[in-house]
Structure formats: structure tokens, C-alpha cells
Amino acid sequence: MVDAQHYAAVVKASHDASASVQGGVNASYIPYLASVPANLTGLTLVLSDGQVFSEGDSDYRFAIESISKVATLALALEQHGPAEVRKKIGADPTGMPFNSVTALELHDDRPQSPLVNAGAMATVSLIQADNAEDRWARILGMQSRLVGHPVELSDEVNHSEQSTNFHNRAIAWLLYSAGTLYSDPMETCDVYTRQCSTLISCKDLAVFGATLASGGINPLNSERVLQSTNVPHILAEMSMEGLYDTSGDWAYTVGLPGKSGVGGGVMAVMPGRGAIAGFSPPLDPIGNSVRGQQMVAAVARALGWNLYRVSED
Ligand code: GLU
């Protein structure tokens, strides 16, 4: 039986070991992200029984970015079921950067994964809603239920993204021309950009992950957010593409489904046990937070959390 003091000590040691590590640079293609202080470093562990252990800047609210793709995937699965999502989007890694056009060209314009930009926009376009505003409200509602409180859009982040998202707009049109986008392309890109521009904390991110770890029940407020049968599909998608094109390295070294975003957040999920979230803005060349990955991996290692590990105790 591991006690609370041990969990707290693991989180503190993992945070402290990485807090002053240099390396990586903030994302700059979205101007807002370049302006976030690079020294911020937060780490949170949330267990399936609702215990929370945090260190550092774990309450600082940062842009959710790509991690929003997991929430929208969850909503699409709730609305359409796994077979339809797999047929329309896919469940395979692209092996290419998250905003790759080449990946589309190579796969008959099928996005392959809901966790790359093309697949994420296709997922947004699948969400059943009366109109674009309703679609946005449903997506924001899912983000809010996953973290357990209302999540807010940052006008500043949204403005910064909307005024520079030309590449994503091009991807939306490419999908539309191929018949693999299911609502108006520019409305879809707008809602996708908004979903990336909400603010969450490291603690929120760990609760989000722990909701997945608990089969779709938010461990802090006990709300059932997702059908438990949808959760394995979400975790499988995260295993395949959650850390962009180093998802395989992450599986090899950490062994947990994870998701990162260019805002500096990283989360990893241990089904049945809980989730770990790290936040720190400087990214490696692939787009994953340098310190975030280190801290999350250190906690997972210390707790023996690895999906592929056979426990001998
Ligand atoms: N809003 C960002 C984009 O679409 C998210 C990218 C990411 O975090 O991977 O480029």
C-alpha cells in the first residue's frame, strides 16, 4: 500500500529534478505561445480515487492546443461510436509532423488519426450540432466536463491563432475537396482553432487524464463523462499519435498513452490508477515539452506505471 506521503515525494522529486533543465524553445508559429515565460514548470499526479499531488506552477493556465483533440475525439465517439470514427478518421500514426499535408497526399486524403491537425478538423466537422456555435458549445462542454469545471476560451490566444492559421485553413480545404471533411471548411477551422485556444492548468490536465484512467468518470466530482467502452479507443489513439512522431519512442521508454500540445502540456494515463500531467513551454523539435516529458516519465518510472510491464509484486 503506497501512502500519500510517498506520492507527494515522488512528484516533488520529479519536479525538482527537471525544473532547472534547459533546452527546447517555446513554439513561435503562434505568437502568443512565444510570449509565455519559459521557466514555468508544473507537475500534477491525480489518482483514480481523487487524490491530487502537485508541485511548481501547476495552477498556471496555459493554452490546451493539441490536447483539445482528445476531448473532441471523446465527443465524436460518444455521438457516433467507435466504428464510425475509425471509418471516417482512422487510428494509425501518420509518421509525419502534426500539420503535414504530405501525410494526406500519401493516404488518399484520409487523415489517419484524430490527433493530427487534419484528423482533428475532420473530427470537429463530425460533431453533430445545429450550427457552428452549437458545435463549439458542445466541444467546450466536453473539455469542461473532463476537467470538472467550466473551461474558458482565451481571446488573446484565439486571436493570435486565428490571425496566423493559414496552414490549417489550407488543410481544411484539402480535406473538403476530397470529401473527408463533413461541415463547412472555414467554420470547421474556426471551431478547431477555438478549441485549441482554451486555457487549462496542469492540475486540470491531470484530472482530464484521470477521468480517462477511471473509465470515463471524473474522479474529483464522480460525474460520468464518457461511456467506459469508448475509453480504450481514446487511449489507443493516444498511444499511436499522442506525442506526434515520437509516439513510438514514448511508448518504448514510458509505456503509457499520452498526449502533448504545443502550449507545453503533456499528460499520460495509467488505466485504473490515475494520470500524470506536466507543463513547461519549451518544446523539443517535434513539438513536445522538454521538461514536461521528463517529469511525467520520472513519475511513471517511480510508480512503476507502464502498460507493458508485468508486475512481479
Ligand atoms: N493550434 C495548434 C495548431 O493547430 C495546435 C498544434 C499542437 O498543439 O500540436 O497548429
Side-chain angles (χ1 to χ4, degrees):
M1 178 71 183
V2 181
D3 64 16
Q5 270 183 346
H6 177 69
Y7 286 116
V10 164
V11 171
K12 179 164 172 33
S14 303
H15 168 272
D16 293 354
S18 289
S20 56
V21 164
Q22 300 299 314
V25 284
N26 288 29
S28 59
Y29 75 102
I30 299 168
Y32 172 89
L33 298 178
S35 71
V36 178
N39 61 322
L40 290 168
T41 309
L43 179 63
T44 299
L45 167 69
V46 173
L47 302 180
S48 294
D49 64 7
Q51 291 187 77
V52 179
F53 304 90
S54 283
E55 280 293 330
D57 303 301
S58 52
D59 290 323
Y60 182 91
R61 295 194 312 151
F62 58 90
I64 188 169
E65 297 299 343
S66 197
I67 302 164
S68 66
K69 293 165 181 165
V70 179
T72 307
L73 164 65
L75 181 56
L77 284 165
E78 292 291 304
Q79 289 187 340
H80 298 277
E84 187 71 359
V85 169
R86 184 175 172 213
K87 190 169 125 215
K88 293 226 160 89
I89 314 284
D92 283 306
T94 66
M96 306 226 158
F98 61 87
N99 57 1
S100 172
V101 171
T102 309
L104 280 177
E105 295 282 330
L106 289 175
H107 300 110
D108 293 327
D109 294 308
R110 189 163 181 269
Q112 301 282 102
S113 165
L115 302 184
V116 295
N117 289 8
M121 285 191 276
T123 310
V124 167
S125 77
L126 266 186
I127 299 302
Q128 281 166 346
D130 295 337
N131 51 45
E133 285 314 308
D134 185 35
R135 184 170 290 117
W136 162 238
R138 286 168 192 252
I139 289 171
L140 190 60
M142 178 54 82
Q143 289 189 11
S144 300
R145 293 173 72 205
L146 284 163
V147 309
H149 65 82
V151 169
E152 289 169 11
L153 178 76
S154 162
D155 290 330
E156 192 183 357
V157 179
N158 187 41
H159 175 73
S160 186
E161 299 217 21
Q162 298 279 6
S163 48
T164 52
N165 66 354
F166 312 114
H167 191 90
N168 285 339
R169 289 189 225 178
I171 291 174
W173 280 117
L174 282 176
L175 290 168
Y176 190 68
S177 73
T180 45
L181 199 76
Y182 308 100
S183 340
D184 177 85
M186 290 303 91
E187 275 182 17
T188 300
C189 188
D190 171 57
V191 172
Y192 165 75
T193 305
R194 283 194 250 174
Q195 80 170 30
C196 292
S197 304
T198 61
L199 298 179
I200 58 165
S201 68
C202 193
K203 182 180 162 204
D204 291 336
L205 187 52
V207 174
F208 181 157
T211 301
L212 299 175
S214 307
I217 297 175
N218 182 314
L220 295 200
N221 62 15
S222 302
E223 186 194 348
R224 174 163 290 287
V225 182
L226 305 172
Q227 297 175 57
S228 61
T229 48
N230 282 333
V231 173
H233 302 293
I234 298 168
L235 298 180
E237 298 273 16
M238 288 166 59
S239 301
M240 290 297 109
E241 187 67 80
L243 276 87
Y244 308 117
D245 35 347
T246 48
S247 300
D249 281 328
W250 181 258
Y252 190 92
T253 55
V254 181
L256 295 176
K259 184 73 197 92
S260 63
V262 295
V266 185
M267 68 143 144
V269 177
M270 179 68 179
R273 305 294 297 277
I276 314 158
F279 160 64
S280 170
L283 310 178
D284 65 18
I286 304 296
N288 297 309
S289 168
V290 172
R291 282 180 228 134
Q293 292 178 92
Q294 285 180 0
M295 292 186 292
V296 171
V299 173
R301 205 165 37 242
L303 298 182
W305 286 7
N306 181 326
L307 275 192
Y308 310 115
R309 175 175 174 266
V310 178
S311 173
E312 286 171 13
D313 26 78

